[in-house]
Amino acid sequence: MNRRTITSLACGAALVLAACGSDSSDSAGTAAPADAIVIAGAWARTSPLMATAGAVYMTVTSATNDALIGVAVDAGIARTAEIHETRMVGDGSMTEDTDMPGDTAMPGDTAAPVMEMVPVASLTLPAGTPVALEPGGYHIMLLDLPTALELGQTFTVTLRFENAGTREVTVTVADEAP
């Protein structure tokens, strides 16, 4: 090979390599999928021996608008995992109690507000806004625990996002938030 051929091959190889590389100045606003979701502080509260349910908490931040649309956990931890919301039901207004025949509300009877946990189909994640899954709010509910959640135990929860795919999160069981 002559010098001109070698130089041409070297220049061609350099161009191919440059085209395959990435320039960090171009990456603003195009986060890699692994960077699109940040999960912090994942923990679950210890449970009494007879408890059949538990909860997982964490903070989730998405770089783009997304939604948490599903959760899963190994059957050895819980038979079912769901996204739940704790909300207040009852506003103190008069109620009609129909548990017993002829039992009706009397003037002055009010319904005491009650907290309930209900499954939700998804949890909206606005771009750049940390969304807390915490006691008294949104959380991951673990149902039908075969054994109690014990202090220091760790397990994996799989989170499924509408746009970002799935992420596995290691959860540590504690008495209180980290």
Side-chain angles (χ1 to χ4, degrees), residues 130-156:
V131 175
L133 281 73
E134 60 190 358
Y138 289 102
H139 57 279
I140 297 169
M141 194 76 194
L142 304 175
L143 301 168
D144 297 323
L145 299 173
T147 61
L149 298 176
E150 296 181 2
L151 186 64
Q153 176 183 3
T154 61
F155 59 91
T156 301

Side-chain angles (χ1 to χ4, degrees), residues 1 13 64 68 74 135 139:
M1 270 193 228
T64 60
L68 177 62
D74 183 273
H139 57 279

Side-chain angles (χ1 to χ4, degrees), residues 146-167:
T147 61
L149 298 176
E150 296 181 2
L151 186 64
Q153 176 183 3
T154 61
F155 59 91
T156 301
V157 171
T158 302
L159 308 176
R160 189 166 40 98
F161 298 94
E162 187 172 63
N163 300 317
T166 60
R167 299 288 185 279

Side-chain angles (χ1 to χ4, degrees), residues 74-94:
D74 183 273
I77 298 299
R79 287 184 180 73
T80 305
E82 300 174 343
I83 306 165
H84 272 218
E85 176 185 19
T86 302
R87 64 181 182 197
M88 187 69 69
V89 176
D91 59 4
S93 61
M94 284 192 52

Side-chain angles (χ1 to χ4, degrees), residues 112-126:
V114 176
M115 298 291 280
E116 72 175 1
M117 291 179 274
V118 295
V120 295
S122 66
L123 176 59
T124 301
L125 303 170

